[in-house]
Amino acid sequence: MHSWTDTLRFAFQPVVNLSTGAVAALETLARPETGDVLAEARRDPELDSKLTVLALRTATHKETLLPLHLNVFAATLADLGGLTPLHDAVRAAGRLPWEVTLDVVPPYTHVPQQALLEAVAALREQGFRISADGIGDGDVPLRLLTDLSPDLVKLDASLLSRPAAVRAMRTLCEELGALVAVEGVETELQYAAALSAGAQLAQGELFAPPARIPAADVYVPPRSPGAVAMPRSGPSVREFVRPAAVLPVTASAGQVRALLTGSPDVSGVLLVDQAGRPVRSVHRSRFLLSLSGRYGHALYADRPAFKLGDAPRMVGVDATAWQVLDVVAIGGRDRTSDDVAVVDGRGRCVGVVRLADLVRALAESRVEEAAGLNPLTRLPGSDAITSEVDRWIADGRTFALSWLDIDHFKQVNDGAGFAAGDELIRSVGRALQQAVSGHARVGHIGGDDFLVLAEEAALDPLVGSVLDLPWTAGDRAVTLSLATVVCAPGSVGDHRQAAAQLAPLKRAAKALRGASWVLGRAGLPGHEVRRGPGAAPAQAGCAAAEPRW
């Protein structure tokens, strides 16, 4: 008699880290040759549970060290209260629960939400990680998504045509402590959109199609300069996490050697306790050197690998790349090539980061930043500022965007000479840089025009330090004009809308004699003259026109 397992096959699709280009995990997908066992599993929780266990066992037979993603219907978890057979199968396969992410897939309609949350909590207690799958194309309620507090949120690629929605989801995930992945990426255009929207992981036909044998190599398109703007505090360590090679702290040196010799890409092994917390770090080169010396194998092969390891270097999942470099800088020089363990709030290992990945990314960000600097003032150009504006909008922050320029600058150049004009521009740029503080950004967008992104509270000190100074070029007195638009959350959708709101305010400031400052608020009529003739609230309406940045 035939069983439904006779015609069931599994395929593996890599989950790609968009920062490192490496495979971060493998998703195991059921591929029935006949019938529709997945439709039956959707109706039968016990069958779905068996499918999940079978997917795990199939993956372990491939002898992959990569973390695994397994699919399970939300209704299955709510009905069964968890997946006890899966936990037993993971242990029997010699894997660890925190190496397995359960992709909870729709539908969620008619699923008892409290039962689902309790089941997810039980799985977390066992060590499993949770992913919310099908977001954007499924029916998961937003409130339930936040209550689930997943470790990973998988977005459908159709959302990439709605970048504001992806950026909003990225902001939500940062609050939840979750990563963002995009599924179904098929084109390089979608890849670029996923990068610019802030996704950290992706999977799809572009990188590698599902295959019976796990892909050893994936295609990752070259990243164009400036494709991703690095935050000033440095990129998050989450973007560089690689799968960790882990063994129990009781492992022998022989077991570690077998793992290293069978996996040439593994640079080190973490020895973890029963809860998954790193206890010792075994570096590949130092370990193999110890065993290759005279009597090394005889001395160490059957002894605990613990004795040949070092105290692990660790950072939390919320650390930045710069903080990782601080950890690497502490200690002996012989450990600069060691992997750094990344741990979650419970101290459990979620992966490792390699120094080479961090240095390359930070160097690229510096090169990209330098390429965008204005050669006269060495200030960033408009792209850097507008990218920052979009991040502030996505973060739901109130901000003030200001446009400052030198009045009648052509006459300054004609009367005092271009050298005096250039020196004046440099001096204004230096004054702006010295006046801003905190997270404010100053950009030189060409000619005598500057952009300043700051919090509203920083405006008065900025004006007092720059606009009110007595400026001269040669023997000529010079004045500056400043226009500011204050944007509250929801008042503008992106930097283009902010620019359109700012354009009429600039015209109003330039229409005033002498040093001037005009301030308006996005979405509200009128503006306030804060410097210049008639410095009092005005209600002049201005037609919006987008400036050319």
Side-chain angles (χ1 to χ4, degrees), residues 391-440:
R391 281 197 293 276
W392 285 38
I393 292 172
D395 291 343
R397 299 174 61 179
T398 297
F399 63 90
L401 184 63
S402 300
W403 189 327
L404 180 142
D405 72 352
I406 300 168
D407 295 328
H408 311 296
F409 184 70
K410 185 178 185 303
Q411 297 177 19
V412 172
N413 263 350
D414 291 345
F418 71 87
D422 286 351
E423 182 53 39
L424 176 60
I425 289 174
R426 280 192 289 266
S427 297
V428 171
R430 285 193 296 267
L432 285 170
Q433 272 190 300
Q434 293 168 1
V436 299
S437 59
H439 296 289

Side-chain angles (χ1 to χ4, degrees), residues 84-149:
T84 301
L86 178 65
H87 184 263
D88 296 339
V90 167
R91 292 293 187 182
R95 300 299 294 260
L96 301 168
W98 48 89
E99 297 179 272
V100 176
T101 297
L102 292 172
D103 290 351
V104 184
V105 298
Y108 287 84
T109 303
H110 307 308
V111 174
Q113 294 189 8
Q114 188 57 40
L116 174 60
L117 293 173
E118 290 174 0
V120 166
L123 289 165
R124 275 212 176 89
E125 192 62 32
Q126 292 173 335
F128 292 106
R129 304 191 187 282
I130 303 298
S131 165
D133 204 351
I135 304 302
D137 194 42
D139 61 346
V140 56
L142 188 58
R143 180 178 61 80
L144 177 59
L145 178 63
T146 58
D147 288 344
L148 282 173
S149 190

Side-chain angles (χ1 to χ4, degrees), residues 51 66 358 387 424:
L51 270 177
L66 289 167
L358 300 183
S387 295
L424 176 60

Side-chain angles (χ1 to χ4, degrees), residues 223 315 338 356 380 483 493:
R223 291 166 63 162
V315 295
D338 286 20

Side-chain angles (χ1 to χ4, degrees), residues 191-207:
Y191 163 76
L195 270 178
S196 62
Q200 294 110 338
L201 303 169
Q203 56 190 126
E205 296 277 344
L206 176 67
F207 310 106

Side-chain angles (χ1 to χ4, degrees), residues 21-45:
V23 178
L26 286 176
E27 181 174 359
T28 308
L29 303 165
R31 291 289 186 265
E33 294 182 351
T34 59
D36 195 351
V37 69
L38 295 179
E40 295 178 33
R42 176 177 166 179
R43 298 186 295 267
D44 185 346

